[in-house]
């Protein structure tokens, strides 16, 4: 009995979410808005509202998902079919998870702060910006929450780079 307890404690310590990732998420102004566990999506008669939000969001972000995961093109196409009920789509995702080389366990909605009022020094170097109030939502597939955090940070960095480039162009600064 004691051995089992020690193993559980060791496993918990090994799988603890890294504090550095938490700090990086804080610094990048990115968070997890919704976390769906794919293997348990179909354990009740109803799917979570967040899964329905995911399905609705495919009008805007299906291309991004397929670009990142080309093997999901057929599945995403099926999800976009308005004839399907969300529980059918959840069942298909679960089936895809269990019986294919799809190794993602989580579907995560990431919320990223979109910087605005970006200011540069007279030398054209970044000086400051405002964050908060404007957010971008993205859905990602992840093997675990560490993987989700790494992707979220990458999204936040890309959002910042996009907005900085836009501000440079608007302000006539080449960078």
């Amino acid at each position: 009995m004691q051995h089992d307890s020690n193993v559980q404690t060791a496993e918990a310590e090994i799988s603890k979410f890294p504090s550095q990732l938490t700090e990086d998420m804080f610094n990048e102004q990115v968070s997890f808005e919704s976390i769906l566990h794919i293997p348990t999506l179909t354990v009740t008669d109803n799917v979570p509202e967040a899964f329905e939000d995911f399905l609705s969001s495919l009008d805007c972000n299906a291309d991004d998902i397929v670009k990142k995961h080309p093997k999901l093109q057929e599945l995403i196409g099926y999800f976009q079919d308005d004839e399907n009920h969300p529980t059918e789509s959840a069942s298909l995702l679960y089936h895809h998870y269990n019986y294919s080389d799809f190794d993602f366990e989580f579907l995560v909605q990431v919320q990223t702060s979109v910087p605005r009022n970006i200011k540069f020094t007279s030398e054209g170097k970044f000086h400051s910006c405002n964050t908060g109030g404007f957010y971008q939502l993205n859905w990602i597939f992840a093997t675990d929450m560490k993987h989700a955090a790494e992707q979220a940070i990458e999204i936040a960095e890309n959002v910042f780079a996009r907005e900085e480039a836009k501000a440079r162009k608007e302000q006539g600064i080449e960078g």
Side-chain angles (χ1 to χ4, degrees):
M1 183 80 157
Q2 181 63 35
H3 174 71
D4 290 340
S5 175
N6 291 341
V7 169
Q8 290 173 339
T9 301
E11 288 174 349
E13 289 174 0
I14 290 170
S15 65
K16 190 174 182 180
F17 193 81
S19 59
Q20 184 61 52
L21 276 178
T22 303
E23 185 176 326
D24 292 345
M25 288 178 72
F26 174 81
N27 290 337
E28 295 295 335
Q29 297 288 296
V30 63
S31 62
F32 300 136
E33 186 67 19
S34 299
I35 302 169
L36 299 173
H37 188 239
I38 295 168
T40 59
L41 268 179
T42 59
V43 297
T44 65
D45 293 341
N46 299 320
V47 295
E49 187 176 325
F51 185 71
E52 292 184 36
D53 292 344
F54 163 72
L55 295 174
S56 297
S57 77
L58 290 175
D59 293 339
C60 301
N61 69 4
D63 292 340
D64 292 337
I65 292 172
V66 170
K67 186 177 179 182
K68 188 162 184 146
H69 309 289
K71 292 180 181 181
L72 297 181
Q73 184 169 0
E74 187 176 331
L75 183 66
I76 297 299
Y78 180 84
F79 290 164
Q80 289 180 293
D81 184 355
D82 290 335
E83 303 282 322
N84 301 321
H85 192 275
T87 54
E88 291 175 63
S89 295
S91 293
L92 186 60
L93 182 58
Y94 171 76
H95 181 78
H96 204 73
Y97 169 79
N98 268 346
Y99 303 107
S100 71
D101 60 356
F102 182 78
D103 61 350
F104 302 111
E105 190 166 343
F106 295 94
L107 178 58
V108 180
Q109 186 179 43
V110 175
Q111 177 177 280
T112 307
S113 180
V114 178
R116 58 192 196 292
N117 301 325
I118 297 175
K119 303 210 184 315
F120 302 97
T121 65
S122 58
E123 294 84 29
K125 294 182 181 182
F126 173 81
H127 176 65
S128 66
C129 68
N130 294 355
T131 58
F134 294 97
Y135 298 94
Q136 176 178 309
L137 297 173
N138 296 85
W139 284 96
I140 59 171
F141 287 97
T143 54
D144 57 33
M145 296 314 295
K146 292 175 190 174
H147 182 227
E150 291 163 352
Q151 289 183 77
I153 292 165
E154 181 181 338
I155 289 169
E157 289 170 346
N158 290 338
V159 167
F160 184 86
R162 178 192 72 213
E163 294 301 314
E164 181 181 19
K166 189 166 91 176
R168 285 183 180 285
K169 185 175 180 182
E170 289 171 355
Q171 295 176 36
I173 299 171
E174 297 301 319

